[in-house]
Amino acid sequence: MSDDSDRARTGGYVSAQQVARRAGVSRSAVSRAFTPGASIGKETRDRVLQAAQELGYQVNDLARGLLAKRSTIVGLVGTKPEAGFRAHLVAALAKALIARGSVPVLVNTGDTPPEVEAAQRILLGYRAEATIVMSGSPPAPLIADARRNGQPVVLIGRSDPEVDGILVDNAACAARAATHLAQRGAKRLGLLGSASGTQSIVERETAFREAAAGLGLEVVTARGTDTDYAGGRQAMAELLAGPRPDAVFCVNDLLALGAVDAVRIGAGLRVPEDVAIIGFDDIPEASWDAYRLTTFAQPPEFVAAEAVRLLDRRRADPHAAPLTLRIDADLRLRATA
């Protein structure tokens, strides 16, 4: 019976032994043919590659990693990875990691203790090479367990003196937002934050209030129950229920989009004539004609490239001092401020 008919009958992946039979070589020759730098004659290697192509064979990277005691899995950890900037960051990280030869595995930590425990089991049970934490909300024990088990960790959007990380320069951006709105003539500023209180959000809120105070401007604050569109509409409605601000800084774009609709649809006012609005992240929706949101651009592809660079640095020197990168974000001027 041929290898093709045997596979059709039994199902499953094509094995290296089937490739060896098709090529008329030993099983070890197949292994050498797919191992960079291994000793094998050109004719033998060509026969193996031809047989592999005919059969549709792919190297079992999981088995190879077990033999080498080295995984190619990189865990992407986050709460609500489908939302806002994080969704685009997941896509950029996956693309960058695949180009690196890694296998990205998305782990949604959820909000409950059982969900967090399940995420921990996945990360440690599959012996991931590294863990990239994409938000400020996954609990600290999850990160501590990864580190105790020898997994390099890269934090995005938060910092830890003992772990590599990437943070946008939140303070500089928030101060720039306050200055820009003041230069537009705003006298009373609004701040839309979030009850989630992650490091990035707290930094943006604090720096905006401090910069506004330095400019002699009053700031009134409202916080959404979450950093999403609904939270933005809710928080903006709270601001509009009191003395109306001339301009509002939102700590992310989803909040800002909700704020724009609360002003235009909920209150029947104009943006930016009655209320100017600035967001943060520059998600694709921010440039839609319905919004044309002025916002700070945090390119997910650049963040992903920096995360991979930190992983490679850690692999090359496991004992290097932890490094936190601060990246800038450009103010994209559009129609809302």
Side-chain angles (χ1 to χ4, degrees):
M1 183 177 291
S2 71
D3 289 318
D4 291 326
S5 60
D6 182 58
R7 180 183 170 216
R9 181 176 61 82
T10 62
Y13 289 97
V14 176
S15 69
Q17 187 59 50
Q18 288 173 298
V19 175
R21 285 200 301 266
R22 173 69 67 95
V25 300
S26 67
R27 168 66 179 77
S28 63
V30 174
S31 177
R32 292 197 303 276
F34 287 95
T35 301
S39 176
I40 184 172
K42 182 181 184 305
E43 182 182 347
T44 302
R45 183 176 184 276
D46 289 344
R47 284 163 54 195
V48 169
L49 296 181
Q50 178 65 31
Q53 183 177 9
E54 292 171 357
L55 292 172
Y57 170 75
Q58 295 292 326
V59 175
N60 186 338
D61 286 324
L62 181 59
R64 177 172 287 187
L66 290 173
L67 289 172
K69 296 184 179 180
R70 180 179 175 273
S71 171
T72 59
I73 294 173
V74 175
L76 304 180
V77 178
T79 303
K80 296 185 178 178
E82 75 283 0
F85 174 76
R86 204 168 300 140
H88 305 286
L89 180 59
V90 167
L93 283 167
K95 183 177 180 179
L97 288 168
I98 289 170
R100 177 181 185 256
S102 301
V103 179
V105 175
L106 178 61
V107 181
N108 185 347
T109 59
D111 300 311
T112 66
E115 289 173 318
V116 173
E117 290 171 8
Q120 287 175 302
R121 286 196 300 271
I122 288 172
L123 281 172
L124 300 179
Y126 283 90
R127 301 296 191 267
E129 172 197 353
T131 296
I132 298 176
V133 179
M134 301 178 293
S135 69
S137 47
L142 188 148
I143 298 169
D145 281 350
R147 294 183 60 229
R148 275 197 297 268
N149 282 271
Q151 287 183 3
V153 177
V154 173
L155 305 179
I156 298 178
R158 62 192 287 185
S159 63
D160 183 309
E162 298 183 356
V163 180
D164 296 322
I166 302 171
L167 275 168
V168 72
D169 195 341
N170 295 300
C173 293
R176 205 179 312 158
T179 300
H180 177 76
L181 295 174
Q183 290 172 344
R184 282 180 49 88
K187 302 299 182 186
R188 180 179 173 83
L189 300 180
L191 171 62
L192 255 63
S194 168
S196 61
T198 63
Q199 179 178 346
S200 289
I201 288 173
V202 170
E203 286 184 355
R204 292 169 198 174
E205 290 185 3
T206 302
F208 184 77
R209 284 194 295 266
E210 290 176 351
L215 294 166
L217 300 177
E218 177 186 3
V219 178
V220 58
T221 302
R223 293 186 175 88
T225 53
D226 206 344
T227 48
D228 58 9
Y229 175 87
R233 290 203 68 158
Q234 163 221 324
M236 192 70 217
E238 291 178 15
L239 289 184
L240 295 175
R244 191 177 78 211
D246 304 311
V248 176
F249 172 56
C250 304
V251 296
N252 79 358
D253 282 350
L254 289 179
L255 288 169
L257 299 183
V260 169
D261 284 346
V263 172
R264 289 176 176 167
I265 300 171
L269 299 170
R270 299 168 301 165
V271 177
E273 292 85 357
D274 298 317
V275 183
I277 295 175
I278 294 179
F280 205 112
D281 286 335
D282 198 26
I283 61 176
E285 296 86 342
S287 66
W288 288 0
D289 287 344
Y291 295 102
R292 297 183 61 214
L293 179 69
T294 293
T295 184
F296 288 91
Q298 190 178 182
E301 294 80 11
F302 179 75
V303 176
E306 292 296 279
V308 168
R309 185 165 71 87
L310 286 176
L311 288 182
D312 289 340
R313 172 182 174 268
R314 182 61 53 194
R315 177 193 285 181
D317 186 359
H319 302 294
L323 179 63
T324 296
L325 304 177
R326 283 275 182 179
I327 62 176
D328 193 18
D330 294 330
L331 180 60
R332 298 281 170 85
L333 295 174
R334 296 194 179 103
T336 62

